[in-house]
């Protein structure tokens, strides 16, 4: 792989001018797993107020539809809406990576993993460097290793009332599709196959999509 001389960039504060293996961080061989979003009682109550739902009979259905709505919005925006743990693993040897699913709250661990699955925990400002705040790049300066794993918390807040207004609107609009297709007599979800992403939800998300690191 060719090397590129980095001039004025995010590396300059620590390194000055430095040679790295890529002119910009690129996420090759990336796999991301996330914990399921937890839907709290306050979020259910907020949604029921919005749709004037005055019964508790369908709370379980609302929770399931809320979870589906959140994941749909997150897949479209490439952002974590509800804060929870993310595990990102790169299968090839990267030396500069972008953490996906911003905003990043905190980094739990950074590990190099060898061919046998043996893990080595890396140390900040020795084995790797972190750049940015809510949107974070990592540069790993450790020698050869086949895989990198980063575990971190990402998201805007634990409940719907903690997240930005655009995300609240998008989730509520998306929920409307699922709930309106709920057949009360069957007690199961019924979806319109062509419903997809609600146009109002899409409009709320546009301008807030995270196009790096995914």
């Amino acid at each position: 792989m060719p090397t590129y001389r980095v001039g004025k960039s995010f590396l300059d504060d620590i390194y000055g001018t430095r040679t790295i293996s890529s002119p910009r961080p690129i996420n090759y061989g990336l796999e991301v797993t996330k914990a399921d979003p937890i839907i709290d009682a306050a979020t259910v109550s907020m949604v029921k107020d919005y749709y004037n739902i005055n019964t508790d009979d369908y709370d379980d259905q609302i929770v399931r539809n809320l979870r589906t709505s959140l994941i749909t919005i997150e897949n479209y925006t490439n952002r974590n809406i509800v804060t929870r743990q993310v595990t990102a693993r790169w299968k090839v040897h990267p030396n500069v990576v972008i953490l996906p699913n911003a905003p990043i709250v905190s980094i739990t661990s950074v590990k190099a993993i060898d061919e046998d699955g043996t893990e080595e925990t890396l140390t900040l400002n020795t084995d790797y460097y972190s750049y940015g705040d809510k949107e974070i790049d990592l540069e790993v300066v450790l020698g050869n290793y086949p895989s990198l794993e980063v575990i971190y918390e990402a998201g805007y807040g634990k409940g719907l009332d903690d997240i930005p207004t655009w995300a609240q609107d998008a989730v509520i609009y998306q929920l409307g599709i699922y709930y309106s297709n709920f057949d009360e007599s069957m007690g199961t979800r019924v979806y319109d196959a062509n419903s997809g992403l609600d146009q109002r939800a899409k409009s709320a998300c546009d301008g807030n999509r995270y196009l790096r690191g995914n």
Side-chain angles (χ1 to χ4, degrees), residues 113-140:
I113 305 171
D114 68 16
E115 294 88 344
D116 299 323
T118 303
E119 299 178 347
E120 178 181 351
T121 300
L122 307 186
T123 303
L124 179 63
N125 296 328
T126 300
D127 302 316
Y128 75 94
Y129 295 86
S130 175
Y131 307 95
D133 180 17
K134 300 301 182 183
E135 300 181 2
I136 292 181
D137 299 343
L138 299 183
E139 193 211 11
V140 182

Side-chain angles (χ1 to χ4, degrees), residues 19 21 29 33 54-55 70 77 95 99 104 111 126 131 136 144 154 156 164 172 176 178-179 185 187 202 213:
T19 298
S21 60
T33 57
N54 300 312
T55 176
L70 276 165
T77 61
N95 80 322
L99 296 188
I104 312 303
K111 297 179 181 179
T126 300
Y131 307 95
I136 292 181
N144 243 355
Y156 290 100
I172 288 172
Y178 301 139
Y179 195 79
S185 65
K202 182 178 181 297

Side-chain angles (χ1 to χ4, degrees), residues 15-213:
Y15 295 115
T17 299
R18 178 178 173 82
T19 298
I20 61 174
S21 60
S22 175
R24 63 179 61 195
I26 301 173
N27 283 349
Y28 290 117
L30 172 63
E31 290 184 349
V32 177
T33 57
K34 300 190 286 186
D36 286 336
I38 295 174
I39 309 300
D40 60 17
T43 296
V44 174
S45 178
M46 178 184 294
V47 167
K48 289 171 67 175
D49 287 345
Y50 182 88
Y51 283 108
N52 294 316
I53 299 171
N54 300 312
T55 176
D56 298 332
D57 293 347
Y58 307 115
D59 282 8
D60 289 344
Q61 183 66 42
I62 291 171
V63 168
R64 287 193 293 270
N65 287 351
L66 267 169
R67 187 173 288 114
T68 302
S69 299
L70 276 165
I71 292 171
T72 300
I73 298 305
E74 289 181 338
N75 288 342
Y76 180 71
T77 61
N78 293 321
R79 292 185 179 275
N80 258 30
I81 303 301
V82 171
T83 302
R84 60 198 190 279
Q85 181 175 285
V86 179
T87 299
R89 180 175 286 198
W90 291 262
K91 288 186 172 182
V92 297
H93 178 173
N95 80 322
V96 180
V97 297
I98 304 166
L99 296 188
N101 299 121
I104 312 303
V105 176
S106 62
I107 296 175
T108 303
S109 66
V110 179
K111 297 179 181 179
I113 305 171
D114 68 16
E115 294 88 344
D116 299 323
T118 303
E119 299 178 347
E120 178 181 351
T121 300
L122 307 186
T123 303
L124 179 63
N125 296 328
T126 300
D127 302 316
Y128 75 94
Y129 295 86
S130 175
Y131 307 95
D133 180 17
K134 300 301 182 183
E135 300 181 2
I136 292 181
D137 299 343
L138 299 183
E139 193 211 11
V140 182
V141 296
L142 193 69
N144 243 355
Y145 57 93
S147 301
L148 178 73
E149 178 187 87
V150 183
I151 299 176
Y152 55 97
E153 293 282 319
Y156 290 100
K158 293 295 186 181
L160 206 62
D161 55 348
D162 298 323
I163 67 177
T165 300
W166 67 264
Q168 290 182 12
D169 291 345
V171 171
I172 288 172
Y173 293 149
Q174 189 65 24
L175 174 73
I177 287 184
Y178 301 139
Y179 195 79
S180 65
N181 287 315
F182 171 57
D183 186 329
E184 295 182 10
S185 65
M186 294 175 61
T188 58
R189 285 175 292 181
V190 179
Y191 295 101
D192 176 356
N194 298 315
S195 60
L197 185 66
D198 179 82
Q199 185 58 47
R200 295 172 304 167
K202 182 178 181 297
S203 297
C205 293
D206 286 344
N208 295 289
R209 300 178 70 190
Y210 185 54
L211 302 179
R212 304 175 70 244

